[in-house]
């Protein structure tokens, strides 16, 4: 087949290639493509002249516009620092209620607090604040040290059983290991504690001695009715919130061996503004996801 052959329908020359009766036409590149290539080349030349472009031995071509990305980024960072300093000062000066009332500040909390939570708190209390064995659930309103603004901020500041000089101290005695109660007495008082929250309905011959053992050994921290004391960090034993678990075996271990939780003091690690953001995240934002 001759390359000079023309397609009878379009009048274009063919390339001489044919596949299954389909002949390839030797058509021109569309003019729009040439215009596009030309414009992009001209635009590239203009940009080479106006902007930093070509590396030299010890420097680079600066461009006629004198644009310096380092200076631009430094200016943006400086502007961001000024903006941050403005709202950080407000967080430092205002109470949680005042911050709650300002939607602009709360938007900052919603934007910044999840990262703070993920970096510092989620490893123990879980992403959603629901905790786990040995770590309190922070969205069920069962507060060990109190759930007021002041209580949460203080817990964040000084920690629990931490090395902070003002830390909160809380410890469950090892009643069995120290010989205060026998193993049978531990089982009896564990059954009684289960009855307080409705986990179990032990017989009267267990409840009565269990109540006596509870009154003698437990009420000084957990109260006569077992509802706990936030000033001592003693949990409420009448609800369905358990840090270590309310099963018989777990309760036996808790009473026999004791418990001593730990939470780091965030003063010195996080700023006052960051601790307020975390407090608002725990008190206002995490519960919304429940």
């Amino acid at each position: 087949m001759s390359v000079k052959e023309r397609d009878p329908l379009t009048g274009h020359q063919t390339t001489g290639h044919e596949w299954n009766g389909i002949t390839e036409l030797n058509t021109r590149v569309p003019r729009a493509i040439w215009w596009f290539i030309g414009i992009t080349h001209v635009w590239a030349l203009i940009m080479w002249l106006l902007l930093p472009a070509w590396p030299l031995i010890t420097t680079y071509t600066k461009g006629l516009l004198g644009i310096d990305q380092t200076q631009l980024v430094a200016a943006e960072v400086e502007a961001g620092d000024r903006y941050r300093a403005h709202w950080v000062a407000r967080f430092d000066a205002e109470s949680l209620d005042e911050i709650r009332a300002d939607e602009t500040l709360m938007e900052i909390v919603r934007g910044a607090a999840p990262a703070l939570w993920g970096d510092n708190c989620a490893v123990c209390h879980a992403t959603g604040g629901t905790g786990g064995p040995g770590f309190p659930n922070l969205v069920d309103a069962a507060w060990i040290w109190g759930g007021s603004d002041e209580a949460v901020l203080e817990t964040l500041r000084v920690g629990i059983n931490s090395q902070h000089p003002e830390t909160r101290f809380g410890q469950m005695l090892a009643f069995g290991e120290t010989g205060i109660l026998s193993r049978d007495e531990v089982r009896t008082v564990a059954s009684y504690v289960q009855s307080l929250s409705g986990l179990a309905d032990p017989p009267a011959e267990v409840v009565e001695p269990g109540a006596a053992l509870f009154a003698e050994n437990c009420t000084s921290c957990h109260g006569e009715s077992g509802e706990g004391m936030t000033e001592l960090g003693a949990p409420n034993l009448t609800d369905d919130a358990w840090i270590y678990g309310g099963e018989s075996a777990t309760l036996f271990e808790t009473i026999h061996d004791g418990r001593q939780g730990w939470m780091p003091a965030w003063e010195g690690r996080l700023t006052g503004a960051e601790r307020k953001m975390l407090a608002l995240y725990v008190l206002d934002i995490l519960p919304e996801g429940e």
Side-chain angles (χ1 to χ4, degrees):
M1 180 181 290
S2 173
V3 174
K4 301 285 187 181
E5 183 178 351
R6 292 184 177 275
D7 176 63
L9 182 62
T10 63
H12 289 294
Q13 287 186 348
T14 66
T15 63
H17 300 151
E18 180 179 333
W19 294 270
N20 297 326
I22 302 174
T23 303
E24 181 181 42
L25 301 182
N26 186 19
T27 56
R28 294 180 178 181
V29 176
R31 183 173 297 177
I33 299 297
W34 289 115
W35 274 104
F36 179 78
I37 293 173
I39 291 172
T40 54
H41 278 70
V42 172
W43 179 257
L45 289 171
I46 294 172
M47 291 299 102
W48 288 348
L49 292 173
L50 296 179
L51 301 177
W54 292 100
L56 303 175
I57 296 175
T58 58
T59 181
Y60 55 90
T61 58
K62 307 296 184 180
L64 298 178
L65 295 180
I67 295 176
D68 189 331
Q69 291 292 331
T70 303
Q71 295 178 355
L72 291 176
V73 171
E76 291 177 358
V77 170
E78 183 180 351
D81 288 342
R82 287 196 302 269
Y83 175 66
R84 176 181 172 83
H86 168 71
W87 62 255
V88 165
R90 291 195 58 189
F91 272 91
D92 286 335
E94 297 181 16
S95 68
L96 295 193
D97 278 338
E98 289 172 325
I99 297 171
R100 287 187 183 99
D102 191 316
E103 187 56 32
T104 300
L105 293 181
M106 286 303 295
E107 282 301 314
I108 293 173
V109 173
R110 294 186 182 95
L116 281 172
W117 178 266
D119 289 344
N120 300 284
C121 312
V123 66
C124 292
H125 295 289
T127 303
T130 53
F135 302 102
N137 184 335
L138 302 181
V139 295
D140 62 0
W143 296 97
I144 299 175
W145 293 93
S148 66
D149 291 352
E150 295 75 15
V152 172
L153 284 172
E154 183 66 3
T155 301
L156 282 167
R157 186 179 76 87
V158 303
I160 300 167
N161 296 321
S162 73
Q163 295 183 352
H164 193 285
E166 301 174 50
T167 188
R168 298 184 184 278
F169 285 108
Q171 183 177 10
M172 168 81 177
L173 294 177
F175 286 93
E177 186 177 334
T178 57
I180 298 174
L181 298 177
S182 68
R183 294 179 68 86
D184 286 340
E185 288 174 327
V186 170
R187 292 189 185 94
T188 299
V189 77
S191 295
Y192 176 73
V193 168
Q194 285 183 315
S195 72
L196 293 177
S197 61
L199 279 178
D201 187 18
E205 59 267 23
V206 172
V207 172
E208 291 180 5
L213 288 168
F214 186 89
E216 183 178 349
N217 297 279
C218 311
T219 55
S220 58
C221 291
H222 294 285
E224 294 182 2
S225 60
E227 293 182 354
M229 296 184 185
T230 54
E231 60 270 23
L232 299 177
N236 184 346
L237 303 178
T238 65
D239 58 19
D240 59 354
W242 299 91
I243 299 177
Y244 297 95
E247 304 82 9
S248 298
T250 305
L251 274 177
F252 179 90
E253 180 183 351
T254 297
I255 299 169
H256 188 276
D257 298 336
R259 300 288 188 184
Q260 181 172 335
W262 178 82
M263 174 177 167
W266 295 104
E267 186 176 53
R269 305 186 187 201
L270 299 176
T271 66
E274 288 171 331
R275 296 198 303 273
K276 284 186 177 180
M277 281 193 280
L278 280 176
L280 287 164
Y281 190 67
V282 168
L283 293 169
D284 294 56
I285 298 175
L286 279 178
E288 293 176 355
E290 284 293 286

